Amino acid sequence: MLTTIYACLFYVATVVLVVGFANRIRQFAMTPAPLKIPTMPAPTTKTGVAFRLFREVAFFESLFKSNKWIWVFGWVFHMALAVVLIRHLRYFVHPVPEVLAFVQPFGVLAAFAMVAGLAGLWARRFVVERVRYISRPSDHLMLALLMGIGLSGMMMKFVAHTDIVAVKAFFLGLMRFSIQPIPADPILLVHLTLVAVLMIVFPFSKLVHSAGVFFSPTRNQVDNSREVRHLAPWAAKLEADRAR
Amino acid sequence: MYVTTDPSEAKQIDPLEMPTLCPGAMAASNPWVAGPDHQASCGFPGELVDNWQEKAIEKMGELLGKYRSLKVYLDSCVKCGACTDKCHYFLGTGDPKNMPVARQDLLRKVYRRYFTLAGKWFPSLVGAEDLTEEVLNDWYTYFHQCSQCRRCSVFCPYGIDTAEISMAGREILDHIGKGQKYCNEIIGKVHTIGNNLGLRPNALRSTLEGLEEDIEDDIGVPVKLPLDVKGADILLVTPSADFFAEPHIDGLIGYAKVFHAAGASWTISSFASEAANFGMFIGSYENMRQISLRIRQAALDLGVKRIVFGECGHAWRVAYSFLNTLAGPFDFLDPRYPVPQHICEYTWDLIEQGKLQFDKSKNDHIKLTFHDSCNVARATRMGDMPGGQFEIPRNILKTVCNHYFDMPADTIKEATFCCGGGGGLLTDELMDLRKKGSSPRMKALQTVQQEHGVTHMAAICAICKTQFSKVMPDYGFERDSILSVHQLVSNAIILEAPHDEE
Ligand code: SF4
Ligand code: SF4
Ligand code: SF4
């Protein structure tokens, strides 16, 4: 019973995440950007733009210019999350490749860093008046969700170990459509439930910023408006009235 | 901060000083609403339509499909707060709705309510709200407290540009009949007469002739300001403020002297006698396009080979970034030159080629700094290299002036502060907002006044110049301490007096 519920939950969550997110990306990609609006100074070549986006995603360049506290917390959280996610790949592949085995010890460190980053970001929502003003309940909930995932995960590592082999069997089973029993361990179930919730809300929440950053015209456009004529399809239609 | 002219007066001035939050502080600051005539001249309904709510949502839906910026920005903000202290209107007023993210949220909350699942199902959770009259009024109030300067977009991790939001907001307001008088009246004048001031060709001709006489009386050189000359090489498109007010007009004289020194064949057009394009401020692609097409038309009619723009911030944005899109392709012009060019690019080219001679000492009474006009700084380029928009005007100034000092690094170049009067807010009824919004820039200016004894500030934007001449007296500067860049060029340039046989 429990196994069936969780199996269904993860199938649903995966479909919602993939379809929802793909749909969001499709919307972003299909909507034209009729005018050249890169925030200057901007790169004059596509390679330059790729570098700009890379710096934005890898180092949070703009945020660094903006506010060192948010940068520290935000960057630490995201990078730690990335390490943790990579570490979790071991539950989905068999045998575990060496790279993943190598990441293993850092995962623990990253878990602490991730929770610390989240705590910092959350504290700002209370302490800094300006940020308090712009925070909505959903902003707190999102942090709570991530925090819950991080803490429950850490508890399984440091407090109450779970049967990790069985967990892996469950997920490998899901991927092969042969359902294996899930351990009825409360902390694990909390952890997995929160993850599934996160997957489901992902495409409908501000977490789409993960796609948005690549589609932001102020960041992804090349500064070449004088050399190359940029014309959106709907704008081209307006030109029917032009004599010459 | 280290050296002060008078230690007893020395106080720490911090241009980035954080205000205390005062909710509602600027709720009463509203520009006049456009009357039916002005609305009609831009193609908008004359007054608030009966089903405005429905129409507004419909328009929002249309814009969401047309502008990726709007869609991505409304979806992607994570409320990190990085932009909250970046807007000069927030720093100057303390009104939290002037924090860029809060300004966006005025539109975002309605977007969420009508266009997203989360907002339809859990409105209070995600801060989604119905479009009520109160929200509508907030839109009108606070989208007219954004000068579309894009400072926030530099600092947002996703590049969210609040200017895009306030443009969309104004576009929606226009389409339900609640436009802003100042912008729409001016746009009407450009459509019918050809410039923001409503200056007719005859008046323009006599102004230019008067100027020619003044210059000749002054320096004894017959510098010309040609109008509507067919077959001229260069079409100069400049803000109409250049035709009548100080310090703008001194800039125009400067361009004329540079053209004269270069022996260039150039002309102004009475049909496209305006570089400004207020269509951008109201977010109206169609109005912006119509205004831009006048320039194309003038270039074709006069048969010119190049187009050069005079000193104007948002005009240069429309010219540099949008003109090719709106009115291109310009394949009928000389392909050896970028279309369009900025007058600073033109002048700097000549300086580099050694074609202009200067007597720098003519500007020795001036200790100068430079205000990077935000539209030029963050929305355009000059020259071949990114950042040329910062270097070229400075290079020119340093060529013609011995005493040049930059303001603090976090208030110039890409981090420059708006003058407080941009984005269609340069109207008297917004004077309180304009003065408050100028305070970060003015404080930055005061720091270089204290450190280096700076007396004057140069700018390349008609709106900035007008705005500064209004607000600088409040900070202990003379009205005429704001200068055109080409005014300094004009002061220092050496022109050959004509030979006797003339
Ligand atoms: S910096 Fe960008 S993401 Fe952060 S609150 Fe401001 S607009 Fe939103
Ligand atoms: S564009 Fe400029 S005026 Fe508008 S919110 Fe951003 S910083 Fe403020
Ligand atoms: S008027 Fe000048 S400073 Fe102000 S918005 Fe325009 S370019 Fe920027």
Side-chain angles (χ1 to χ4, degrees):
Chain A
M1 179 65 191
L2 195 63
T3 300
T4 320
I5 292 176
Y6 274 84
C8 291
L9 181 62
F10 272 91
Y11 281 133
V12 170
T14 308
V15 170
V16 171
L17 174 68
V18 171
V19 174
F21 199 55
N23 192 39
R24 202 47 83 107
I25 289 178
R26 192 186 54 89
Q27 283 175 3
F28 287 170
M30 301 284 282
T31 312
L35 293 166
K36 278 290 187 126
I37 59 167
T39 311
M40 306 285 194
T44 52
T45 60
K46 282 204 169 132
T47 327
V49 164
F51 271 116
R52 183 185 204 175
L53 284 174
F54 173 77
R55 292 196 307 273
E56 211 58 270
V57 176
F59 308 119
F60 298 8
E61 183 181 40
S62 300
L63 192 55
F64 185 79
K65 286 185 208 163
S66 182
N67 186 310
K68 298 293 184 284
W69 283 113
I70 310 179
W71 181 82
V72 166
F73 295 137
W75 192 79
V76 164
F77 160 65
H78 281 84
M79 293 306 135
L81 178 66
V83 175
V84 168
L85 283 177
I86 292 171
R87 205 198 76 117
H88 275 67
L89 283 179
R90 67 187 292 109
Y91 303 127
F92 300 90
V93 288
H94 190 78
V96 175
E98 255 174 62
V99 222
L100 288 188
F102 173 78
V103 177
Q104 184 69 9
F106 299 104
V108 179
L109 221 104
F112 280 101
M114 182 181 133
V115 169
L118 281 172
L121 290 174
W122 208 350
R124 285 185 56 83
R125 296 216 181 272
F126 293 103
V127 179
V128 182
E129 201 186 8
R130 285 171 285 123
V131 187
R132 194 162 65 224
Y133 180 90
I134 58 169
S135 297
R136 299 284 170 271
S138 55
D139 300 312
H140 289 284
L141 276 180
M142 202 61 78
L143 284 162
L145 192 58
L146 288 162
M147 197 68 136
I149 292 172
L151 291 177
S152 57
M154 283 166 77
M155 277 174 76
M156 284 184 280
K157 179 82 192 164
F158 301 109
V159 185
H161 281 276
T162 198
D163 183 353
I164 218 70
V165 179
V167 173
K168 179 159 181 173
F170 172 73
F171 279 104
L172 285 176
L174 280 187
M175 289 165 66
R176 290 167 195 156
F177 300 102
S178 98
I179 311 295
Q180 304 294 318
I182 191 168
D185 179 344
I187 303 178
L188 173 74
L189 296 182
V190 167
H191 186 69
L192 293 183
T193 310
L194 295 180
V195 170
V197 171
L198 184 72
M199 289 165 73
I200 290 169
V201 299
F202 197 98
F204 308 101
S205 68
K206 63 178 185 178
L207 301 185
V208 296
H209 70 270
S210 49
V213 61
F214 295 100
F215 287 96
S216 170
T218 52
R219 293 292 180 268
N220 77 3
Q221 287 185 337
V222 181
D223 167 14
N224 62 356
S225 48
R226 286 195 289 195
E227 293 77 28
V228 182
R229 186 163 188 232
H230 175 90
L231 196 65
W234 64 260
K237 287 198 192 116
L238 298 175
E239 300 199 343
D241 67 339
R242 262 167 56 174
R244 46 182 184 165
Chain B
M1 250 172 252
Y2 307 105
V3 193
T4 49
T5 38
D6 177 0
S8 64
E9 268 182 40
K11 53 178 177 283
Q12 289 279 332
I13 300 175
D14 177 9
L16 305 174
E17 188 184 321
M18 197 73 65
T20 37
L21 285 199
C22 321
M26 295 305 282
S29 167
N30 285 297
W32 306 136
V33 177
D37 294 353
H38 299 143
Q39 283 287 97
S41 63
C42 309
F44 304 131
E47 53 186 28
L48 194 64
V49 295
D50 290 336
N51 55 345
W52 59 267
Q53 212 173 359
E54 195 184 312
K55 285 280 167 216
I57 300 303
E58 191 183 302
K59 189 72 194 171
M60 188 189 277
E62 182 195 324
L63 295 179
L64 284 165
K66 280 174 140 181
Y67 290 90
R68 179 187 294 166
S69 51
L70 187 64
K71 174 88 185 123
V72 170
Y73 296 159
L74 288 180
D75 277 339
S76 300
C77 172
V78 297
K79 310 292 174 75
C80 69
C83 61
T84 52
D85 55 353
K86 300 298 183 276
C87 177
H88 53 290
Y89 290 121
F90 172 68
L91 294 178
T93 66
D95 189 324
K97 286 183 180 158
N98 277 328
M99 299 190 294
V101 45
R103 197 187 312 287
Q104 299 157 21
D105 273 351
L106 297 174
L107 202 67
R108 189 176 284 118
K109 63 187 178 185
V110 176
Y111 163 71
R112 287 205 166 142
R113 185 74 182 107
Y114 296 86
F115 295 93
T116 70
L117 279 184
K120 281 177 191 160
W121 293 348
F122 316 103
S124 54
L125 202 63
V126 296
E129 272 180 48
D130 287 332
L131 177 53
T132 59
E133 200 168 333
E134 199 189 332
V135 173
L136 181 76
N137 290 338
D138 261 1
W139 281 6
Y140 190 78
T141 306
Y142 290 100
F143 293 146
H144 290 111
Q145 296 189 28
C146 170
S147 59
Q148 305 172 341
C149 76
R150 314 180 88 210
R151 190 169 194 270
C152 45
S153 96
V154 170
F155 295 102
C156 170
Y158 319 116
I160 295 179
D161 182 1
T162 317
E164 292 292 304
I165 308 290
S166 74
M167 286 172 189
R170 293 184 194 181
E171 167 97 322
I172 295 171
L173 287 165
D174 272 327
H175 277 84
I176 59 173
K178 193 167 174 171
Q180 182 224 31
K181 174 171 181 274
Y182 174 68
C183 281
N184 292 3
E185 180 176 10
I186 281 179
I187 292 172
K189 277 189 209 150
V190 183
H191 287 324
T192 52
I193 301 173
N195 56 60
N196 286 6
L197 297 173
L199 203 61
R200 304 210 174 256
N202 286 341
L204 180 56
R205 184 172 302 277
S206 57
T207 304
L208 296 177
E209 283 168 3
L211 269 182
E212 288 175 347
E213 282 167 28
D214 291 350
I215 301 173
E216 187 152 10
D217 288 350
D218 188 23
I219 59 168
V221 182
V223 173
K224 296 294 166 208
L225 288 134
L227 183 68
D228 293 333
V229 177
K230 287 209 169 179
D233 286 345
I234 298 171
L235 169 64
L236 175 80
V237 186
T238 203
S240 54
D242 282 1
F243 300 131
F244 89 120
E246 306 276 344
H248 315 256
I249 205 160
D250 303 296
L252 176 65
I253 293 173
Y255 322 149
K257 288 183 181 173
V258 170
F259 285 131
H260 180 92
S265 128
W266 68 288
T267 186
I268 293 166
S269 153
S270 62
F271 178 73
S273 47
E274 180 62 68
N277 192 328
F278 279 32
M280 184 179 91
F281 296 154
I282 62 167
S284 168
Y285 191 97
E286 190 50 27
N287 276 287
M288 196 159 63
R289 191 175 79 93
Q290 293 299 343
I291 296 170
S292 297
L293 283 173
R294 293 184 78 94
I295 295 169
R296 180 187 177 88
Q297 193 61 48
L300 282 164
D301 290 348
L302 294 169
V304 295
K305 301 195 180 91
R306 305 166 66 175
I307 301 176
V308 172
F309 271 72
E311 298 181 6
C312 181
H314 82 279
W316 182 236
R317 178 176 191 190
V318 177
Y320 177 87
S321 293
F322 307 157
L323 197 67
N324 199 4
T325 296
L326 297 166
F330 288 97
D331 40 13
F332 57 91
L333 298 176
D334 188 336
R336 286 175 302 166
Y337 304 99
V339 183
Q341 272 187 304
H342 194 278
I343 187 71
C344 285
E345 291 178 305
Y346 181 82
T347 300
W348 180 240
D349 267 355
L350 292 171
I351 292 174
E352 282 200 306
Q353 291 167 27
K355 291 199 179 144
L356 302 179
Q357 306 306 319
F358 298 101
D359 176 2
K360 275 178 131 172
S361 68
K362 287 280 168 50
N363 284 321
D364 273 354
H365 58 297
I366 287 169
K367 286 206 166 93
L368 190 67
T369 191
F370 177 64
H371 165 72
D372 288 282
S373 293
C374 37
N375 272 299
V376 175
R378 289 187 283 261
T380 74
R381 193 182 79 211
M382 288 180 199
D384 298 330
M385 300 298 289
Q389 67 271 36
F390 311 135
E391 301 315 322
I392 289 178
R394 283 176 173 77
N395 290 345
I396 294 175
L397 292 173
K398 288 173 190 165
T399 308
V400 301
C401 186
N402 278 314
H403 312 294
Y404 178 84
F405 307 93
D406 263 327
M407 285 180 277
D410 44 13
T411 69
I412 57 170
K413 301 188 178 174
E414 71 169 359
T416 189
F417 277 109
C418 172
C419 60
L425 308 182
L426 193 76
T427 171
D428 285 346
E429 71 267 22
L430 295 179
M431 192 54 84
D432 178 46
L433 173 80
R434 287 166 50 188
K435 290 196 166 163
K436 289 173 175 160
S438 72
S439 69
R441 168 48 74 231
M442 287 294 103
K443 288 182 193 163
L445 176 60
Q446 285 178 319
T447 62
V448 279
Q449 181 191 33
Q450 289 190 351
E451 284 172 42
H452 305 290
V454 162
T455 57
H456 289 75
M457 180 163 71
I460 42 174
C461 171
I463 294 176
C464 302
K465 293 173 201 168
T466 309
Q467 159 77 350
F468 285 131
S469 63
K470 283 266 164 50
V471 299
M472 283 172 89
D474 285 13
Y475 290 83
F477 292 87
E478 298 293 327
R479 272 186 72 96
D480 56 8
S481 339
I482 176 71
L483 306 175
S484 297
V485 167
H486 276 76
Q487 176 175 8
L488 292 140
V489 172
S490 170
N491 290 348
I493 196 166
I494 301 169
L495 299 181
E496 298 269 331
H499 302 300
D500 285 342
E501 65 262 23
E502 286 212 11

